[in-house]
């Protein structure tokens, strides 16, 4: 197998693509972010990386708060729109018929149509280069009870989540395994190994 050598760049794909709501219930905006992720379990922490020239940047900087709203196939159009239109020029909630909902711990609104909303408070800002990183503690998570299964598990996969891959949006494919399946021993049923 031969490979081409490219200049250094970000090729870590796929990545989650989320809509980040910021500001207040009275003056809000939504920015699409693909550079976000988990930092810590205890305390629960996350981050978003935003270019300083983006309209949402100052809103997050001034309030020190934001909400990460997970995206789905149904929200793919809105997700793209919020990434290419500036909140300086358009009210994205109104334009896209999205519903702002009051959060519990932050001033930024939740997006009601998103199946998962993660309320975040900024604890630190890093400025390594083209993007500034807002490190944040998760204050609350809201999940749509329509996706709770009979065992009380939130079935995120049923929301049809999407990811971002080098300029394109994709839905997720089939289940390949569960965490730890590569080392899991076959279960026994009535003293016999269960067939797979």
């Amino acid at each position: 197998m031969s490979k081409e050598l490219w200049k250094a760049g970000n090729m870590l794909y796929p990545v989650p693509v989320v809509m980040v709501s910021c500001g207040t219930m009275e003056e809000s905006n939504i920015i699409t972010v693909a550079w976000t992720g988990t930092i810590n379990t205890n305390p629960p922490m996350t981050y978003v990386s935003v270019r300083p020239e983006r309209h949402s940047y100052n809103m997050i900087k001034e309030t020190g708060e934001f909400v990460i709203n997970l995206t789905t196939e149904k929200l793919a159009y809105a997700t793209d729109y919020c990434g290419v239109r500036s909140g300086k020029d358009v009210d994205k909630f109104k334009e896209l018929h999205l519903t702002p909902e009051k959060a519990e711990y932050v001033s930024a609104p939740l997006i009601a149509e998103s199946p998962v909303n993660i309320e975040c408070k900024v604890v630190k800002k890093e400025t390594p280069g083209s993007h500034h990183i807002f490190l944040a503690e998760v204050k609350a998570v809201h999940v749509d009870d329509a996706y709770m299964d009979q065992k009380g598990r939130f079935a995120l996969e049923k929301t049809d989540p999407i990811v971002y891959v080098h300029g394109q949006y994709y839905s997720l494919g089939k289940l390949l395994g569960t965490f730890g399946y590569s080392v899991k021993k076959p279960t026994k049923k009535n003293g016999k190994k269960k067939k797979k």
Side-chain angles (χ1 to χ4, degrees):
M1 175 185 351
S2 65
K3 293 189 176 178
E4 291 183 26
L5 179 64
W6 288 3
K7 69 176 185 176
N10 295 313
M11 282 296 289
L12 185 62
Y13 291 110
V15 290
V17 58
V18 299
M19 292 190 291
V20 175
S21 46
C22 53
T24 64
M25 289 294 289
E26 295 72 36
E27 186 180 344
S28 60
N29 192 41
I30 306 167
I31 181 175
T32 299
V33 171
W35 293 354
T36 183
T38 299
I39 294 174
N40 230 27
T41 300
N42 190 16
M45 290 185 69
T46 185
Y47 74 93
V48 292
S49 292
V50 182
R51 286 182 180 271
E53 56 270 21
R54 297 297 296 265
H55 180 63
S56 294
Y57 175 85
N58 283 325
M59 294 175 115
I60 296 171
K61 184 179 170 188
E62 288 168 15
T63 63
E65 301 174 340
F66 58 89
V67 178
I68 294 175
N69 304 276
L70 299 193
T71 55
T72 64
E73 286 186 31
K74 286 182 183 175
L75 291 170
Y77 179 89
T79 301
D80 184 63
Y81 186 94
C82 289
V84 296
R85 292 285 185 226
S86 174
K88 287 185 223 173
D89 306 321
V90 64
D91 181 333
K92 297 176 192 177
F93 274 102
K94 282 185 182 174
E95 189 71 20
L96 296 165
H97 307 290
L98 295 172
T99 311
E101 278 189 349
K102 189 165 174 36
E104 292 292 320
Y105 298 97
V106 301
S107 55
L110 315 175
I111 299 174
E113 290 75 12
S114 170
V116 179
N117 318 97
I118 305 167
E119 296 186 43
C120 304
K121 284 200 181 239
V122 176
V123 296
K124 190 175 184 183
K125 180 172 70 100
E126 297 284 351
T127 58
S130 64
H131 290 65
H132 291 184
I133 306 165
F134 292 101
L135 305 167
E137 186 170 350
V138 174
K139 303 310 283 184
V141 177
H142 304 258
V143 298
D144 188 336
D145 59 13
Y147 299 101
M148 297 298 291
D149 69 17
Q150 294 171 335
K151 295 180 181 178
R153 182 184 78 90
F154 180 67
L156 180 61
E157 70 281 2
K158 292 190 177 171
T159 69
D160 297 321
I162 59 173
V163 294
Y164 184 75
V165 181
H166 202 57
Q168 299 173 313
Y169 305 97
Y170 287 91
S171 59
L172 297 181
K174 63 182 179 179
L175 174 67
L176 302 177
T178 56
F179 180 74
Y181 83 101
S182 63
V183 295
K184 190 174 181 181
K185 294 180 181 173
T187 56
K188 292 183 179 180
K189 190 173 183 182
N190 298 331
K192 297 179 181 178
K193 282 188 179 178
K194 188 176 177 183
K195 291 183 180 177
K196 293 191 174 185

